[in-house]
Amino acid sequence: MKTIYLDNNATTRVADEVFEAMRPYFTDLYANPSSMHVFGGQVGKPLKHAREQVAALLNCSPDEIVFTSCGTESDNTAIHGILEAYPEKRHIITTRVEHPAVRTTCRHLRDQHGYRLTELPVDAKGQLNLDELKAAITHETAIVSIMHANNETGVIFPLEKIAEIVAESNAFLHTDAVQSVGKIPIDLAKTPIDLLALSGHKLHAPKGVGVLYIRRGTRLTPYLTGGHQEHGKRAGTENVPYIIGLGAACELASKHMEEENTRVRALRDRLETGLLKSCRDAYLNGDPVNRLPNTSNISFEFVEGESILLHMDALGICASSGSACTSGSLEPSHVMRAMGVPFTRAHGSTRFSLSHYNTAEEVEFVIEHMPPIIDRLRAISPFGRCMKQ
Ligand code: PLP
């Protein structure tokens, strides 16, 4: 059975070009880039090049790029690092729809370390009210951590406007851009963001490598201490092959983003309109306009999301209910709850996330096979009785 992979917000396939770029660094070029010998230098140079490739995608300086082990580490380093550097400031602002990498971290700081935490609400489309952000910032606020694009709905927050607001205060702005980097443009020369997290495995590089962008001049206490790697900002021998892969993936994204967006958006739109038309009581979650081009989150009312996933899985279709991290729990996701999606809809929310590797045939297959799945599950659903006739 062929796999139809529509779960690219959970992780992506490593691109062939990325894999080929990485290969020599496992076998022939395995030196430690910090070593003084010529062999070390042969690895140090490509590492520098990878840093430049990442910086080019974000339009920042290579010395503002710090390689980490994943998006979660980047988020944690940003938040903990600022709080530790500014111990007198005890207030954190975030949103109700952050990924657990930020949400759990901020809640831990509130519950275990006594920080004051403001979690900004979102409206029915998953958008923020920027006046509420303005009103929440005080002289006590150390960090504002607001994601760029939501992993469940793809909703994009207006980062430029958020950055303008935060720049008027003494607080630092961190953005979890794990879902947006490589999918939509980000220009750090134009947008005054202080800290930005990204993760390799969301843009066709391997799992286990990430980046924290730290704007030059930002005071930040390192989260991992030890050696002097990464300009003294993140200790530990660099994961050279994966960093090389991430650099190659960033270069691919820089080159092809526009054409990829057009193609993937067309496939996503075909899938979305097809499903909304052919399945009864199906609703789109999130902002239909300000959204990643690859993501569609659809609720099939009165049907349970986990059952939909299992039935799709039997046909080789991979999607997700809530985020990969929250699926497994029967609670509706915190993102659906924050948007006020009714319980009977929130439970049936299913995320389809596409990539470069999806085809029109795959999309047609899903459009054809979803309606019978939904009808069958509705017939046995305890909520089915309440269904509109
Ligand atoms: N932030 C967002 C928005 C994500 O979607 C994810 C992964 O799903 C992460 C952070 C965590 O990234 P990583 O898996 O690299 O730790």
Side-chain angles (χ1 to χ4, degrees):
M1 187 170 56
K2 189 178 170 290
T3 297
I4 298 180
Y5 188 74
L6 300 175
D7 202 12
N8 287 279
N9 286 8
T11 198
T12 58
R13 175 198 194 283
V14 172
D16 293 338
E17 299 90 326
V18 168
F19 188 62
E20 286 312 319
M22 291 167 63
R23 196 194 286 272
Y25 297 89
F26 288 107
T27 48
D28 299 333
L29 294 166
Y30 54 83
N32 187 324
S34 299
S35 296
M36 295 301 288
H37 39 67
V38 172
F39 194 23
Q42 285 173 344
V43 175
K45 275 186 208 125
L47 188 67
K48 183 169 170 278
H49 181 56
R51 207 179 293 283
E52 288 162 359
Q53 288 169 313
V54 178
L57 178 62
L58 303 174
N59 199 16
C60 67
S61 165
D63 62 13
E64 295 174 307
I65 296 298
V66 170
F67 289 112
T68 66
S69 69
C70 59
T72 302
E73 184 193 320
S74 302
D75 285 332
N76 271 267
T77 303
I79 298 168
H80 284 275
I82 289 292
L83 294 178
E84 214 176 305
Y86 295 87
E88 68 287 1
K89 294 192 168 194
R90 304 285 301 168
H91 182 218
I92 307 165
I93 298 176
T94 186
T95 78
R96 288 196 191 157
V97 293
E98 298 296 314
H99 184 275
V102 167
R103 186 170 185 255
T104 310
T105 304
C106 292
R107 289 184 167 201
H108 172 81
L109 285 160
R110 176 192 65 192
D111 299 341
Q112 304 299 321
H113 299 277
Y115 283 92
R116 193 161 73 78
L117 175 64
T118 303
E119 291 182 339
L120 298 168
V122 295
D123 63 17
K125 282 186 179 170
Q127 282 295 354
L128 290 169
N129 176 340
L130 296 187
D131 290 334
E132 284 178 302
L133 167 63
K134 242 184 235 170
I137 303 175
T138 73
H139 64 279
E140 250 233 306
T141 310
I143 186 162
V144 176
S145 179
I146 295 184
M147 71 199 318
H148 189 195
N150 189 274
N151 44 302
E152 292 189 29
T153 58
V155 170
I156 299 170
F157 283 150
L159 211 45
E160 294 79 10
K161 288 187 189 144
I162 291 168
E164 262 172 43
I165 293 170
V166 180
E168 282 171 17
S169 73
N170 288 324
F172 289 90
L173 176 61
H174 163 245
T175 189
D176 175 342
V178 165
Q179 289 294 343
S180 59
V181 170
K183 293 178 190 149
I184 54 173
I186 295 177
D187 188 339
L188 289 171
K190 284 200 188 130
T191 320
I193 296 160
D194 302 297
L195 301 140
L196 176 145
L198 70 90
S199 175
H201 72 109
K202 310 291 183 178
L203 68 149
H204 304 290
K207 298 159 193 62
V209 63
V211 160
L212 178 62
Y213 156 83
I214 308 175
R215 184 171 290 275
R216 199 177 289 147
T218 307
R219 199 168 93 210
L220 184 108
T221 305
Y223 194 50
L224 288 188
T225 49
H228 56 269
Q229 293 91 349
E230 297 300 296
H231 346 289
K233 296 202 169 98
R234 196 271 187 184
T237 302
E238 295 89 346
N239 185 348
V240 176
Y242 284 37
I243 291 172
I244 300 295
L246 178 53
C250 286
E251 188 168 326
L252 279 178
S254 300
K255 277 189 188 150
H256 303 296
M257 193 182 300
E258 216 175 298
E259 71 201 65
E260 276 303 317
N261 275 356
T262 311
R263 201 186 78 88
V264 171
R265 186 192 300 275
L267 285 180
R268 189 274 314 266
D269 288 350
R270 167 68 190 138
L271 176 69
E272 188 169 286
T273 42
L275 291 179
L276 291 175
K277 209 168 127 200
S278 58
C279 300
R280 276 184 66 195
D281 294 308
Y283 303 86
L284 181 68
N285 293 311
D287 187 334
V289 181
N290 297 308
R291 190 166 43 128
L292 292 175
N294 78 319
T295 309
S296 182
N297 189 309
I298 299 178
S299 275
F300 301 95
E301 195 164 21
F302 310 117
V303 188
E304 219 263 303
E306 307 286 318
S307 322
I308 301 173
L309 290 191
L310 287 177
H311 280 72
M312 287 199 293
D313 202 24
L315 295 172
I317 307 167
C318 306
S320 164
S321 120
S323 72
C325 314
T326 52
S327 59
S329 138
L330 286 180
E331 274 292 296
S333 89
H334 67 283
V335 177
M336 295 300 129
R337 277 185 278 140
M339 293 194 299
V341 175
F343 187 80
T344 50
R345 275 186 211 172
H347 259 283
S349 90
T350 306
R351 179 186 71 186
F352 301 91
S353 48
L354 287 72
S355 84
H356 167 72
Y357 294 101
N358 292 118
T359 63
E361 292 71 42
E362 290 177 334
V363 165
E364 294 310 320
F365 182 89
V366 178
I367 294 173
E368 186 190 333
H369 287 84
M370 276 300 278
I373 293 179
I374 301 299
D375 287 345
R376 230 176 308 138
L377 289 172
R378 280 227 176 96
I380 56 166
S381 160
F383 302 120
R385 268 171 257 132
C386 336
M387 227 181 101
K388 293 171 207 141
Q389 295 305 313

